[in-house]
Amino acid sequence: MDRSAADMTDVETRTLGHMLHDGLARLNAAQAARCLVAVAALLLVLITLDPFPDLRNEDVTTVVGGRMALTYISWGLLAAVAMLFVAATDAPALKSLVTPLHLCLVGWLLINIVFSESRGVSIQRFALAVSVTSFAVLLPLLPPTQRTFNLCLGGAALVLLVLCHLGVFLAPQYSMHTALDLTEPQLAGDWRGSFGHKNIASPVMTILVYVGIYLAAVGSFVMGPAIAALAGIFLIFTGGKTSTVLCLAIYALASLVYVTPGLWLKRLICFVPLIVMNLLTVGSVLSPALGALTRLLPLDPTFTGRSAIWEFALAAVAEKPIIGHGYAAFWDDVTARQTAQGSEWATSAAHSHNSYLDLAVTIGLPGLLLVILVFVLAPLGNFQSAQAHSRSRALAKLFLTIWLFGLYYGATETFLLERQNPIWFMFALAVAGLHFLARFQCVEQTEPER
């Protein structure tokens, strides 16, 4: 065994602290700073500035101006620093993002904001979305090598998982849903960790399972299995049925796509089940025939009556099908809308429980089409290119799996373009990762400073 191989074996048998120390010791100050910025952003999006909210407190639903201001400032600064770092060393990668399709999407969002029903709200929330999404897109470029990227991702994942598990055992009233929660006391006993709801915790844990599997596949025989096991256990106890079912199903689907040679066959494997899933959910309220079909199924694809919310959202799309109601500006106060009459649950919902339908409501059908082109269709072509050029196949599979999970999770929940939502952050990171892998080769390792 040569010296580098022996060093790798030694690293994998040490604690996380030793691994990070050894990894950073190989970097110069600027490279180490890039890694620290990447870890800071991952921790900010996963843990947030307000972890472990007390759902028994009436103030939990109140937006605190100072805390939100700190969130905006933190993300703005991190995005600016990341842009400076990346612009200095990866200008070609940044230029590759300037495409007609990307420009059309940004342009449409700006037009949509101008005509928003609540322009101030849309501008404010769009500013945060730009900062968070920009950082997600830049994050694959920040760590100087693939190995340091793995260390940053794995280190942040372990910090989150340790906090969540400790919270359950040391402060369960802040880490689990309880019967005293002001909303949804029926979820008592479900784990939520540092998050505000199990429906955020469960998809994050699913993504971390994929991260753990990836790290194990590239040689992290301690960190990888630990992350996968801790995330898998937590996922089960969240009670998140959708994420739990999708976790293994999506990994199997991604594995099938990985070994499928042709792009068109890949598209059929990825998109046909997704289309069917949306037809059986939102489509069931559009078509009486589909509605009758769903009632014959052994499970309820409307997830216990979400059809009322979908009907309400579809009526909102019909009101403004082209321009939409405005980015992130529809669901704050819908009780007074005429289309909401007789839909009590719909007016209390925070979103439409379908990412694609929600985009049609807020940014209109043209906006939805552009999002589909950029975030649904293009990434699979990028994966095909990365695979054809044998560029970091294990990493490409991780990004593919996270992307696929997001597509299917989006048929039941809303997260696309949703500001600092951790699922959106990881989804955008995966899409950007596939974009860069299709065009550039990862740096595999860095020599120590001499």
Side-chain angles (χ1 to χ4, degrees):
M1 180 182 295
D2 59 22
R3 180 177 179 83
S4 61
D7 288 346
M8 278 290 290
T9 303
D10 184 56
V11 167
E12 289 302 332
T13 60
R14 300 181 191 179
T15 64
L16 173 63
H18 285 116
M19 294 172 69
L20 291 175
H21 179 270
D22 287 354
L24 293 178
R26 294 174 176 269
L27 309 177
N28 59 37
Q31 292 172 332
R34 293 165 72 110
C35 291
L36 291 176
V37 171
V39 172
L42 285 167
L43 293 178
L44 180 59
V45 76
L46 293 173
I47 299 175
T48 76
L49 295 173
D50 187 27
F52 301 104
D54 186 357
L55 303 185
R56 303 164 299 170
N57 190 338
E58 293 182 357
D59 294 335
V60 73
T61 57
T62 304
V63 178
V64 179
R67 192 162 60 226
M68 284 305 300
L70 183 59
T71 298
Y72 277 73
I73 293 171
S74 299
W75 276 112
L77 287 176
L78 282 172
V81 170
M83 180 63 74
L84 290 175
F85 277 134
V86 172
T89 57
D90 298 280
L94 288 180
K95 291 178 181 178
S96 74
L97 294 169
V98 183
T99 68
L101 194 56
H102 293 167
L103 293 175
C104 284
L105 176 58
V106 173
W108 179 260
L109 288 171
L110 294 175
I111 293 171
N112 172 263
I113 290 171
V114 170
F115 292 97
S116 171
E117 293 179 349
S118 301
R119 191 179 305 165
V121 171
S122 292
I123 292 174
Q124 180 181 350
R125 293 175 177 175
F126 182 70
L128 181 57
V130 167
S131 296
V132 174
T133 305
S134 296
F135 201 104
V137 170
L138 296 175
L139 195 144
L141 303 175
L142 271 177
T145 68
Q146 185 175 342
R147 185 180 178 193
T148 51
F149 174 83
N150 296 345
L151 284 173
C152 293
L153 190 59
L158 277 177
V159 170
L160 172 68
L161 288 167
V162 169
L163 279 177
C164 287
H165 280 273
L166 285 177
V168 168
F169 292 104
L170 300 180
Q173 68 275 25
Y174 298 105
S175 307
M176 298 169 60
H177 288 283
T178 71
L180 298 178
D181 290 356
L182 296 180
T183 60
E184 299 183 288
Q186 70 274 15
L187 300 179
D190 291 340
W191 293 10
R192 58 181 177 88
S194 60
F195 302 97
H197 199 282
K198 71 164 192 173
N199 285 347
I200 301 177
S202 56
V204 169
M205 293 301 157
T206 298
I207 292 172
L208 294 187
V209 169
Y210 301 148
V211 170
I213 294 172
Y214 157 71
L215 291 174
V218 296
S220 292
F221 301 122
V222 176
M223 182 189 292
I227 290 173
L230 289 171
I233 292 169
F234 206 97
L235 171 62
I236 293 171
F237 284 99
T238 62
K241 298 181 180 63
T242 301
S243 294
T244 303
V245 171
L246 286 178
C247 182
L248 295 179
I250 293 300
Y251 190 80
L253 189 65
S255 298
L256 179 59
V257 172
Y258 186 80
V259 299
T260 300
L263 179 57
W264 273 104
L265 191 53
K266 279 183 169 73
R267 287 171 176 163
L268 290 175
I269 294 171
C270 290
F271 301 138
V272 169
L274 179 63
I275 293 171
V276 171
M277 190 173 179
N278 278 283
L279 287 175
L280 292 177
T281 52
V282 176
S284 65
V285 303
L286 279 173
S287 167
L290 286 173
L293 177 62
T294 58
R295 287 190 289 272
L296 297 176
L297 297 176
L299 49 83
D300 180 15
T302 67
F303 299 92
T304 319
R306 286 183 184 173
S307 54
I309 301 175
W310 296 331
E311 289 174 353
F312 174 51
L314 286 168
V317 174
E319 289 177 355
K320 293 186 175 182
I322 303 301
I323 198 64
H325 292 265
Y327 173 78
F330 179 79
W331 293 96
D332 285 351
D333 184 14
V334 296
T335 56
R337 295 184 182 275
Q338 185 176 358
T339 52
Q341 293 179 1
S343 303
E344 182 178 350
W345 187 18
T347 58
S348 64
H351 51 81
S352 65
H353 290 279
N354 184 287
S355 290
Y356 311 103
L357 177 57
D358 216 77
L359 289 176
V361 171
T362 54
I363 63 175
L365 295 176
L368 171 61
L369 176 61
L370 287 169
V371 168
I372 289 174
L373 292 174
V374 173
F375 292 104
V376 178
L377 296 180
L380 188 58
N382 288 331
F383 173 75
Q384 178 78 356
S385 297
Q387 197 176 33
H389 292 90
S390 299
R391 288 176 179 154
S392 306
R393 291 192 172 188
L395 183 59
K397 185 179 180 182
L398 170 66
F399 291 148
L400 172 76
T401 310
I402 295 173
W403 167 74
L404 265 178
F405 173 76
L407 293 187
Y408 282 82
Y409 184 74
T412 63
E413 296 293 343
T414 299
F415 77 92
L416 289 174
L417 303 184
E418 190 178 284
R419 306 191 294 286
Q420 76 271 36
N421 187 315
I423 304 112
W424 164 243
F425 183 92
M426 297 303 293
F427 180 81
L429 166 64
V431 170
L434 290 172
H435 173 90
F436 294 132
L437 284 178
R439 294 160 177 82
F440 306 98
Q441 180 68 51
C442 280
V443 177
E444 297 296 337
Q445 61 184 8
T446 292
E447 294 298 324
E449 294 292 316
R450 298 189 184 277

